[in-house]
Amino acid sequence: MKILITTDWYKPVINGVVTSVINLKSELEKAGHEVRVLTLSPDGHQHFEDDTYYLKSFKVKIYPQARATYNFHSKYLPEILQWQPDIIHSQCEWVSFYFAKYIALKLNIPIVHTYHTIYEDYTHYILRSKRISKSLVLFGSNRAINATDYVITPTNKARDLLLSYGIENPIITIPTGINLDKYRNRISDNRRSELLSQYGITANKTVIVSIGRLAIEKNIDELLDNMQILAKSHPDIVLLIVGGGPYEDALRELVINMKLQKNVIFTGMISPDLVPEYFQLGKLFICASQSEAQGLTYIEALASGIPLLCKYDQCLENVLIEGHNGFSFDTSAEFIDKLLSVLRDKDSYSVLCENAAASAESYSKEAFGKQVAKVYEAAVDTFPGHLPLPVRLIPVLRRRAQESI
């Protein structure tokens, strides 16, 4: 089968969408499918490399690293049409989706769409008015998703949300798979000490770790509030915050204001190749985000043999099994009580770690690729034809492009 994947986000950007596309492409190719990607160029220049069409693009201020294009007459479109994919798998509802729809209409082929992002948690990046921003997000998402043939959601949380939006297409829940092998290798005690010493963390400290993009919707402020209370009675516990993002400077300033410099350490951005090692620096992986459609870092932590301590969210359903591979919390008191109880009992902690690693096995990229391929087969077999979708975004993008010059 020839498969075209369209996405606004791709390498070298690091996020859940990119990870999902990379793993999916790899597994589909292993199964004998021919896969190409259509995306926006990170440097603005149009080129073709590694089976990927990078379209001319320009920066937009809506979201960090976000890009758009007015290149709707790209020289690559005739080439893609001549290649004649059997199906399109769109990963984003915005810029690249319009290319997906155009190609699908021209070739009369189905579109499968994955809903990765709960956009209503990101409306602060669009307009100051939450109500207007949410209306725009709902309109844009619904219009695009209802113009596809099958929808994949990584969790039932995302599926239920789309049903509440009035999405009428078939929706299948398939958890995004990860490369488990990257996280199975355990680092040595010497390597762990070496990494911690880079940040001035001594051997007598107990480390808990948070890994991910530092953005306001990730609710890291709540973790800092919890640490401020915890540090008064347990100054030996250190929170290592791994990653960077648009909210990093504000968080660093907040740590200073809260006088938590000895208890909260930032690493900044690190190489993706080192991320598996950084999971193993902590006794627990902690998170307070409730904006995740899935949250791949939960799976990555489990695959690393690290138990979870996370604020309850529906996306943790079937991932965090209370008392088996981690714990959930709602309040600061619960966070501190469960954290200390885990650290207190070494035997129980060892069992939690074993259970964590075992529970990640069902989230392999191999299983992910096979399940998605079955959706493609169903979409092709039941494809009824398309209704046209007006491409009304083009004038807006052209105007934004002229403003950016």
Side-chain angles (χ1 to χ4, degrees), residues 17-93:
V17 176
V18 177
T19 299
S20 178
V21 173
I22 291 172
N23 288 338
L24 178 60
K25 184 175 185 292
S26 171
E27 291 308 309
L28 291 172
E29 289 173 337
K30 282 182 188 176
H33 301 289
E34 188 178 347
V35 186
R36 296 184 186 179
V37 176
L38 177 66
T39 189
L40 304 176
S41 172
D43 61 7
H45 299 296
Q46 181 169 264
H47 62 287
F48 180 75
E49 181 182 359
D50 296 331
D51 298 320
T52 302
Y53 300 98
Y54 291 93
L55 302 178
K56 289 180 182 178
S57 67
F58 56 90
K59 292 180 180 179
V60 290
K61 296 180 179 179
I62 290 176
Y63 188 79
Q65 295 181 293
R67 303 191 73 87
T69 186
Y70 57 90
N71 188 30
F72 286 90
H73 301 287
S74 168
K75 68 178 183 180
Y76 291 135
L77 288 179
E79 186 177 324
I80 293 170
L81 294 174
Q82 187 175 10
W83 177 55
Q84 292 191 321
D86 300 299
I87 194 166
I88 298 174
H89 189 167
S90 64
Q91 306 286 329
C92 300
E93 295 82 2

Coordinates of all heavy atoms in Angstrom, one line a residue, residues 17-93:
V17 N 3.6 14.3 18.5 CA 3.2 14.1 17.1 C 4.3 13.6 16.3 O 4.2 12.6 15.5 CB 2.6 15.4 16.5 CG1 2.3 15.2 15.0 CG2 1.4 15.9 17.3
V18 N 5.5 14.2 16.4 CA 6.6 13.8 15.6 C 7.1 12.4 16.0 O 7.3 11.6 15.1 CB 7.8 14.8 15.8 CG1 9.1 14.3 15.1 CG2 7.4 16.2 15.4
T19 N 7.1 12.1 17.3 CA 7.4 10.7 17.7 C 6.5 9.7 17.1 O 6.9 8.6 16.6 CB 7.4 10.6 19.2 OG1 8.4 11.5 19.8 CG2 7.7 9.2 19.7
S20 N 5.2 10.0 17.1 CA 4.2 9.1 16.6 C 4.4 8.9 15.1 O 4.4 7.7 14.6 CB 2.8 9.7 16.8 OG 1.8 8.9 16.3
V21 N 4.7 9.9 14.3 CA 4.9 9.8 12.9 C 6.1 9.0 12.6 O 6.1 8.1 11.7 CB 4.9 11.2 12.2 CG1 5.3 11.1 10.8 CG2 3.6 11.9 12.4
I22 N 7.2 9.3 13.3 CA 8.4 8.6 13.0 C 8.3 7.1 13.3 O 8.7 6.2 12.5 CB 9.6 9.2 13.9 CG1 9.9 10.6 13.5 CG2 10.8 8.2 13.9 CD1 10.9 11.3 14.4
N23 N 7.7 6.7 14.4 CA 7.5 5.3 14.7 C 6.5 4.6 13.8 O 6.7 3.5 13.4 CB 7.0 5.2 16.2 CG 8.1 5.5 17.2 OD1 9.3 5.4 16.9 ND2 7.7 5.8 18.4
L24 N 5.5 5.3 13.4 CA 4.5 4.8 12.5 C 5.1 4.5 11.1 O 4.9 3.4 10.5 CB 3.3 5.7 12.4 CG 2.2 5.2 11.4 CD1 1.6 3.9 11.8 CD2 1.1 6.3 11.3
K25 N 5.8 5.5 10.6 CA 6.5 5.4 9.3 C 7.4 4.2 9.3 O 7.4 3.3 8.4 CB 7.2 6.6 8.9 CG 7.9 6.6 7.6 CD 8.5 8.0 7.3 CE 9.0 8.1 5.8 NZ 10.2 7.2 5.6
S26 N 8.2 4.1 10.4 CA 9.2 3.0 10.5 C 8.5 1.6 10.5 O 8.9 0.7 9.7 CB 10.0 3.1 11.8 OG 10.8 2.0 12.0
E27 N 7.4 1.5 11.2 CA 6.7 0.2 11.3 C 6.0 -0.2 10.0 O 5.9 -1.3 9.6 CB 5.7 0.2 12.5 CG 6.4 0.2 13.8 CD 7.5 -0.9 14.0 OE1 7.1 -2.1 13.7 OE2 8.6 -0.6 14.3
L28 N 5.4 0.8 9.4 CA 4.7 0.6 8.1 C 5.7 0.1 7.0 O 5.4 -0.8 6.2 CB 3.9 1.8 7.7 CG 2.7 2.3 8.5 CD1 2.2 3.6 8.1 CD2 1.6 1.2 8.4
E29 N 6.8 0.7 7.0 CA 7.8 0.4 6.0 C 8.4 -1.1 6.3 O 8.6 -1.8 5.4 CB 9.0 1.4 6.0 CG 8.6 2.7 5.4 CD 9.6 3.8 5.6 OE1 10.5 3.7 6.5 OE2 9.6 4.8 4.8
K30 N 8.5 -1.4 7.6 CA 8.9 -2.8 7.9 C 7.9 -3.8 7.4 O 8.3 -4.9 7.0 CB 9.0 -2.9 9.4 CG 10.3 -2.3 10.0 CD 10.3 -2.6 11.5 CE 11.4 -1.9 12.2 NZ 11.4 -2.1 13.7
A31 N 6.6 -3.4 7.4 CA 5.6 -4.3 6.9 C 5.5 -4.3 5.4 O 4.6 -5.0 4.9 CB 4.2 -3.9 7.5
G32 N 6.3 -3.6 4.7 CA 6.3 -3.6 3.2 C 5.6 -2.5 2.6 O 5.5 -2.5 1.3
H33 N 5.0 -1.5 3.3 CA 4.3 -0.4 2.7 C 5.3 0.6 2.2 O 6.4 0.8 2.8 CB 3.3 0.2 3.7 CG 2.3 -0.8 4.2 ND1 1.3 -1.2 3.4 CD2 2.1 -1.4 5.4 CE1 0.5 -2.1 4.1 NE2 1.0 -2.2 5.4
E34 N 4.8 1.4 1.3 CA 5.6 2.5 0.8 C 5.1 3.8 1.4 O 3.9 4.1 1.2 CB 5.6 2.6 -0.7 CG 6.5 3.7 -1.3 CD 6.5 3.7 -2.9 OE1 5.9 2.7 -3.5 OE2 7.0 4.6 -3.5
V35 N 5.9 4.5 2.2 CA 5.4 5.7 3.0 C 6.2 6.9 2.6 O 7.4 6.9 2.6 CB 5.5 5.4 4.5 CG1 4.9 6.5 5.3 CG2 4.9 4.0 4.8
R36 N 5.4 8.0 2.4 CA 6.1 9.3 2.2 C 5.4 10.3 3.2 O 4.2 10.1 3.6 CB 5.9 9.8 0.8 CG 6.7 9.0 -0.2 CD 6.7 9.6 -1.6 NE 7.3 8.6 -2.6 CZ 7.4 8.9 -3.9 NH1 6.9 10.0 -4.4 NH2 7.9 8.0 -4.7
V37 N 6.1 11.4 3.5 CA 5.6 12.4 4.5 C 5.5 13.7 3.8 O 6.4 14.1 3.0 CB 6.5 12.5 5.7 CG1 6.0 13.6 6.7 CG2 6.5 11.1 6.5
L38 N 4.4 14.5 4.0 CA 4.3 15.8 3.5 C 4.2 16.8 4.7 O 3.3 16.6 5.6 CB 3.1 16.0 2.7 CG 2.7 17.4 2.1 CD1 3.8 17.9 1.1 CD2 1.4 17.5 1.5
T39 N 5.2 17.7 4.8 CA 5.2 18.6 6.0 C 5.7 19.9 5.7 O 6.0 20.2 4.5 CB 6.1 17.9 7.1 OG1 6.0 18.6 8.3 CG2 7.6 17.9 6.7
L40 N 5.9 20.8 6.7 CA 6.3 22.1 6.5 C 7.8 22.2 6.8 O 8.3 21.7 7.8 CB 5.6 23.1 7.4 CG 4.0 23.0 7.3 CD1 3.4 23.9 8.3 CD2 3.6 23.5 5.9
S41 N 8.6 22.9 6.0 CA 10.0 23.0 6.1 C 10.4 23.8 7.4 O 9.8 24.9 7.6 CB 10.6 23.7 4.9 OG 12.0 23.9 5.1
P42 N 11.3 23.3 8.2 CA 11.6 24.0 9.5 C 12.5 25.2 9.2 O 12.5 26.1 10.0 CB 12.4 23.0 10.3 CG 13.0 22.0 9.2 CD 11.9 22.0 8.2
D43 N 13.1 25.3 8.0 CA 13.9 26.4 7.7 C 13.3 27.3 6.6 O 13.9 28.3 6.1 CB 15.3 26.0 7.3 CG 15.4 25.1 6.1 OD1 14.3 24.9 5.4 OD2 16.4 24.6 5.7
G44 N 12.1 26.9 6.2 CA 11.4 27.7 5.2 C 11.6 27.3 3.8 O 10.9 27.7 2.9
H45 N 12.7 26.6 3.5 CA 13.1 26.2 2.1 C 12.5 24.9 1.7 O 12.5 23.9 2.4 CB 14.6 26.2 2.0 CG 15.2 27.5 2.3 ND1 15.1 28.6 1.6 CD2 16.1 27.8 3.3 CE1 15.8 29.6 2.1 NE2 16.4 29.2 3.2
Q46 N 11.9 24.9 0.5 CA 11.3 23.7 0.0 C 12.3 22.7 -0.5 O 13.3 23.0 -1.1 CB 10.4 24.1 -1.2 CG 9.6 22.9 -1.8 CD 8.6 23.4 -2.8 OE1 7.4 23.5 -2.5 NE2 9.0 23.7 -4.0
H47 N 12.2 21.4 0.0 CA 13.1 20.4 -0.5 C 12.5 19.0 -0.2 O 11.5 18.9 0.5 CB 14.5 20.5 0.2 CG 14.5 20.3 1.7 ND1 14.0 21.3 2.5 CD2 14.9 19.3 2.4 CE1 14.1 20.8 3.8 NE2 14.6 19.6 3.7
F48 N 13.1 18.0 -0.9 CA 12.7 16.6 -0.7 C 13.8 15.8 -0.1 O 14.9 15.8 -0.7 CB 12.2 16.0 -2.0 CG 11.7 14.6 -1.9 CD1 10.5 14.3 -1.3 CD2 12.5 13.5 -2.4 CE1 10.0 13.0 -1.2 CE2 12.1 12.2 -2.3 CZ 10.8 11.9 -1.7
E49 N 13.6 15.1 1.0 CA 14.7 14.4 1.6 C 14.1 13.2 2.4 O 13.1 13.4 3.2 CB 15.5 15.3 2.5 CG 16.7 14.7 3.2 CD 17.4 15.7 4.2 OE1 16.9 16.8 4.2 OE2 18.3 15.3 4.8
D50 N 14.7 12.0 2.3 CA 14.3 10.9 3.1 C 12.8 10.6 3.0 O 12.1 10.4 4.0 CB 14.7 11.0 4.6 CG 16.2 11.1 4.8 OD1 16.9 10.5 4.0 OD2 16.6 11.8 5.7
D51 N 12.3 10.6 1.8 CA 10.9 10.3 1.5 C 10.0 11.3 2.1 O 8.8 11.0 2.4 CB 10.5 8.9 2.0 CG 11.3 7.8 1.3 OD1 11.5 7.9 0.1 OD2 11.7 6.8 2.0
T52 N 10.5 12.5 2.3 CA 9.7 13.6 2.9 C 9.7 14.8 2.1 O 10.8 15.3 1.7 CB 10.3 13.9 4.3 OG1 10.2 12.7 5.1 CG2 9.4 15.0 5.0
Y53 N 8.5 15.4 1.8 CA 8.3 16.6 1.1 C 8.3 17.7 2.1 O 7.3 17.8 2.9 CB 7.0 16.6 0.3 CG 7.0 15.5 -0.8 CD1 6.3 14.3 -0.5 CD2 7.6 15.7 -2.0 CE1 6.2 13.3 -1.5 CE2 7.5 14.7 -3.0 CZ 6.8 13.5 -2.7 OH 6.7 12.5 -3.7
Y54 N 9.2 18.6 2.1 CA 9.2 19.8 3.0 C 8.8 21.0 2.2 O 9.5 21.4 1.2 CB 10.6 20.0 3.6 CG 11.1 19.0 4.5 CD1 11.9 17.9 4.1 CD2 10.8 19.1 5.9 CE1 12.3 16.9 5.0 CE2 11.2 18.1 6.8 CZ 12.0 17.0 6.3 OH 12.4 16.1 7.2
L55 N 7.6 21.6 2.5 CA 7.1 22.7 1.8 C 7.7 24.0 2.3 O 8.0 24.2 3.5 CB 5.6 22.7 1.9 CG 4.8 21.5 1.4 CD1 3.3 21.7 1.6 CD2 5.1 21.2 -0.1
K56 N 7.7 25.0 1.4 CA 8.1 26.4 1.8 C 7.2 26.8 3.0 O 6.0 26.5 3.0 CB 7.9 27.4 0.7 CG 9.0 27.2 -0.4 CD 8.7 28.3 -1.5 CE 9.7 28.1 -2.7 NZ 9.3 29.1 -3.7
S57 N 7.7 27.5 4.0 CA 6.9 27.9 5.1 C 7.5 29.1 5.7 O 8.6 29.6 5.4 CB 6.9 26.7 6.1 OG 8.2 26.6 6.7
F58 N 6.7 29.7 6.6 CA 7.1 30.9 7.4 C 6.6 30.7 8.8 O 5.7 29.9 9.1 CB 6.5 32.2 6.8 CG 5.0 32.1 6.7 CD1 4.2 32.6 7.7 CD2 4.4 31.7 5.5 CE1 2.8 32.6 7.6 CE2 3.0 31.7 5.4 CZ 2.2 32.1 6.5
K59 N 7.3 31.4 9.7 CA 6.9 31.3 11.2 C 5.6 32.0 11.4 O 5.3 33.0 10.8 CB 8.0 32.0 12.0 CG 9.4 31.3 12.0 CD 10.4 32.0 12.9 CE 11.7 31.3 12.9 NZ 12.7 32.0 13.7
V60 N 4.9 31.4 12.4 CA 3.7 32.1 12.9 C 3.8 32.2 14.4 O 4.4 31.3 15.0 CB 2.4 31.4 12.5 CG1 2.1 31.5 11.0 CG2 2.4 29.9 12.9
K61 N 3.3 33.2 15.0 CA 3.5 33.5 16.4 C 2.5 32.8 17.3 O 2.5 33.0 18.5 CB 3.5 35.0 16.7 CG 4.6 35.7 16.0 CD 4.6 37.2 16.3 CE 5.7 37.9 15.6 NZ 5.6 39.4 15.9
I62 N 1.6 32.0 16.7 CA 0.6 31.3 17.5 C 1.1 30.4 18.6 O 0.7 30.4 19.7 CB -0.4 30.6 16.6 CG1 -1.2 31.5 15.7 CG2 -1.3 29.7 17.4 CD1 -2.1 30.8 14.7
Y63 N 2.2 29.7 18.2 CA 2.8 28.7 19.1 C 4.2 28.5 18.8 O 4.6 28.6 17.6 CB 2.0 27.4 18.9 CG 2.4 26.3 19.9 CD1 1.8 26.3 21.1 CD2 3.3 25.3 19.6 CE1 2.1 25.3 22.1 CE2 3.6 24.3 20.5 CZ 3.0 24.3 21.7 OH 3.3 23.4 22.6
P64 N 5.1 28.3 19.8 CA 6.5 28.1 19.5 C 6.8 27.1 18.5 O 6.3 26.0 18.5 CB 7.1 27.7 20.9 CG 6.1 28.3 21.9 CD 4.8 28.2 21.2
Q65 N 7.7 27.4 17.5 CA 8.1 26.6 16.4 C 7.0 26.3 15.4 O 7.2 25.5 14.4 CB 8.6 25.2 16.9 CG 9.9 25.3 17.7 CD 10.5 24.0 18.1 OE1 9.8 23.3 18.9 NE2 11.6 23.6 17.6
A66 N 5.8 26.9 15.5 CA 4.7 26.7 14.6 C 5.1 27.4 13.3 O 5.7 28.5 13.2 CB 3.4 27.3 15.1
R67 N 4.6 26.8 12.2 CA 4.9 27.3 10.8 C 3.6 27.2 10.0 O 2.7 26.3 10.3 CB 6.1 26.6 10.2 CG 7.4 26.7 11.0 CD 8.5 26.2 10.2 NE 8.9 27.2 9.2 CZ 9.8 28.2 9.4 NH1 10.3 28.4 10.5 NH2 10.1 29.0 8.4
A68 N 3.5 27.9 8.9 CA 2.4 27.9 8.0 C 3.0 28.1 6.6 O 4.2 28.3 6.4 CB 1.4 28.9 8.3
T69 N 2.1 28.0 5.6 CA 2.6 28.2 4.2 C 1.5 28.8 3.4 O 0.3 28.7 3.7 CB 3.0 26.8 3.6 OG1 3.6 27.1 2.3 CG2 1.8 25.9 3.4
Y70 N 2.0 29.5 2.3 CA 1.0 30.0 1.3 C 1.4 29.3 0.0 O 0.9 29.7 -1.1 CB 1.1 31.5 1.2 CG 2.5 32.1 0.9 CD1 2.9 32.2 -0.5 CD2 3.3 32.4 1.9 CE1 4.2 32.7 -0.7 CE2 4.6 32.9 1.6 CZ 5.0 33.0 0.3 OH 6.3 33.5 0.1
N71 N 2.3 28.3 0.0 CA 2.7 27.6 -1.2 C 1.8 26.5 -1.6 O 2.1 25.3 -1.6 CB 4.1 27.1 -0.9 CG 4.8 26.5 -2.1 OD1 4.6 27.0 -3.2 ND2 5.6 25.5 -1.9
F72 N 0.5 26.9 -1.9 CA -0.5 25.9 -2.2 C -0.4 25.4 -3.7 O -1.2 24.6 -4.1 CB -1.9 26.4 -1.9 CG -2.2 26.5 -0.5 CD1 -1.9 27.6 0.3 CD2 -2.7 25.4 0.2 CE1 -2.1 27.6 1.7 CE2 -3.0 25.4 1.6 CZ -2.7 26.5 2.3
H73 N 0.6 25.9 -4.4 CA 0.9 25.4 -5.7 C 2.3 24.9 -5.8 O 3.0 25.1 -6.8 CB 0.7 26.6 -6.7 CG -0.7 27.2 -6.7 ND1 -1.8 26.5 -7.2 CD2 -1.1 28.4 -6.2 CE1 -2.8 27.3 -7.0 NE2 -2.5 28.4 -6.4
S74 N 2.7 24.1 -4.8 CA 4.0 23.6 -4.7 C 4.2 22.6 -5.9 O 3.3 21.9 -6.4 CB 4.1 22.8 -3.4 OG 5.3 22.0 -3.4
K75 N 5.5 22.6 -6.3 CA 5.9 21.7 -7.4 C 5.7 20.2 -7.0 O 5.7 19.4 -7.9 CB 7.3 22.0 -7.9 CG 8.4 21.6 -6.8 CD 9.8 21.9 -7.3 CE 10.8 21.5 -6.3 NZ 12.2 21.8 -6.8
Y76 N 5.7 20.0 -5.7 CA 5.6 18.6 -5.3 C 4.2 18.0 -5.4 O 4.0 16.8 -5.4 CB 6.0 18.5 -3.8 CG 7.5 18.8 -3.6 CD1 8.0 19.6 -2.6 CD2 8.5 18.2 -4.5 CE1 9.4 19.8 -2.4 CE2 9.8 18.4 -4.3 CZ 10.3 19.2 -3.3 OH 11.6 19.5 -3.1
L77 N 3.2 18.9 -5.5 CA 1.8 18.3 -5.6 C 1.6 17.5 -6.8 O 1.1 16.4 -6.7 CB 0.8 19.5 -5.5 CG 0.6 20.2 -4.1 CD1 -0.4 21.3 -4.2 CD2 0.2 19.1 -3.1
P78 N 2.0 17.9 -8.0 CA 1.9 17.0 -9.2 C 2.7 15.7 -9.0 O 2.2 14.7 -9.5 CB 2.4 17.9 -10.3 CG 2.3 19.3 -9.9 CD 2.5 19.2 -8.4
E79 N 3.8 15.8 -8.3 CA 4.6 14.6 -8.1 C 3.9 13.6 -7.2 O 4.0 12.4 -7.5 CB 6.0 15.1 -7.5 CG 7.0 13.9 -7.4 CD 8.3 14.4 -6.8 OE1 8.8 15.5 -7.2 OE2 8.9 13.6 -6.1
I80 N 3.3 14.2 -6.2 CA 2.5 13.3 -5.3 C 1.3 12.7 -6.0 O 1.1 11.5 -5.8 CB 2.1 14.1 -4.0 CG1 3.3 14.5 -3.2 CG2 1.1 13.2 -3.1 CD1 3.0 15.5 -2.1
L81 N 0.7 13.5 -6.8 CA -0.5 12.9 -7.5 C -0.1 11.9 -8.5 O -0.8 10.9 -8.7 CB -1.2 14.1 -8.3 CG -1.9 15.1 -7.4 CD1 -2.4 16.3 -8.2 CD2 -3.0 14.5 -6.6
Q82 N 1.1 12.0 -9.1 CA 1.6 11.0 -10.0 C 2.0 9.8 -9.3 O 1.9 8.7 -9.8 CB 2.8 11.6 -10.8 CG 3.3 10.7 -11.9 CD 4.4 11.4 -12.7 OE1 4.9 12.4 -12.3 NE2 4.8 10.8 -13.8
W83 N 2.5 9.9 -8.1 CA 2.9 8.8 -7.2 C 1.7 8.0 -6.9 O 1.7 6.7 -6.7 CB 3.6 9.3 -6.0 CG 4.0 8.2 -5.0 CD1 4.7 7.1 -5.2 CD2 3.6 8.2 -3.6 NE1 4.8 6.3 -4.1 CE2 4.2 7.0 -3.0 CE3 2.9 9.0 -2.8 CZ2 4.0 6.7 -1.7 CZ3 2.8 8.7 -1.4 CH2 3.3 7.5 -0.9
Q84 N 0.5 8.6 -6.7 CA -0.8 8.0 -6.5 C -0.8 7.2 -5.2 O -0.9 5.9 -5.2 CB -1.2 7.1 -7.7 CG -1.5 7.9 -8.9 CD -2.2 7.1 -10.0 OE1 -1.9 6.0 -10.2 NE2 -3.2 7.7 -10.7
P85 N -0.8 7.8 -4.0 CA -1.0 7.1 -2.8 C -2.4 6.5 -2.7 O -3.3 6.9 -3.3 CB -0.8 8.2 -1.7 CG -1.1 9.5 -2.4 CD -0.7 9.3 -3.8
D86 N -2.5 5.4 -2.0 CA -3.7 4.7 -1.8 C -4.6 5.3 -0.7 O -5.8 5.1 -0.7 CB -3.5 3.2 -1.5 CG -2.7 2.5 -2.6 OD1 -3.3 2.4 -3.7 OD2 -1.6 2.0 -2.4
I87 N -3.9 5.9 0.2 CA -4.6 6.5 1.4 C -3.7 7.6 2.0 O -2.5 7.6 1.8 CB -4.8 5.4 2.5 CG1 -5.8 5.9 3.5 CG2 -3.5 4.9 3.1 CD1 -6.4 4.7 4.4
I88 N -4.4 8.5 2.7 CA -3.7 9.6 3.3 C -4.0 9.5 4.8 O -5.1 9.3 5.2 CB -4.1 11.0 2.8 CG1 -3.8 11.2 1.3 CG2 -3.5 12.1 3.6 CD1 -4.3 12.4 0.7
H89 N -2.9 9.7 5.6 CA -3.1 9.7 7.1 C -2.6 11.1 7.6 O -1.5 11.4 7.6 CB -2.2 8.6 7.7 CG -2.5 8.5 9.2 ND1 -2.0 7.4 9.9 CD2 -3.2 9.2 10.1 CE1 -2.4 7.5 11.2 NE2 -3.1 8.6 11.3
S90 N -3.6 11.9 7.9 CA -3.3 13.3 8.3 C -3.1 13.3 9.9 O -3.8 12.5 10.6 CB -4.4 14.3 8.0 OG -5.7 13.9 8.6
Q91 N -2.2 14.1 10.3 CA -1.8 14.1 11.7 C -2.2 15.4 12.4 O -2.1 15.5 13.6 CB -0.3 13.9 11.9 CG 0.2 12.6 11.2 CD -0.2 11.3 11.9 OE1 -0.3 11.3 13.1 NE2 -0.4 10.3 11.2
C92 N -2.5 16.4 11.6 CA -2.9 17.8 12.1 C -4.1 18.3 11.4 O -4.3 18.0 10.2 CB -1.7 18.7 12.0 SG -0.2 18.2 12.8
E93 N -4.9 19.1 12.1 CA -6.1 19.6 11.5 C -6.0 20.9 10.8 O -7.0 21.5 10.3 CB -7.2 19.8 12.6 CG -7.6 18.5 13.3 CD -6.7 18.1 14.4 OE1 -5.6 18.8 14.7 OE2 -6.9 17.0 15.0

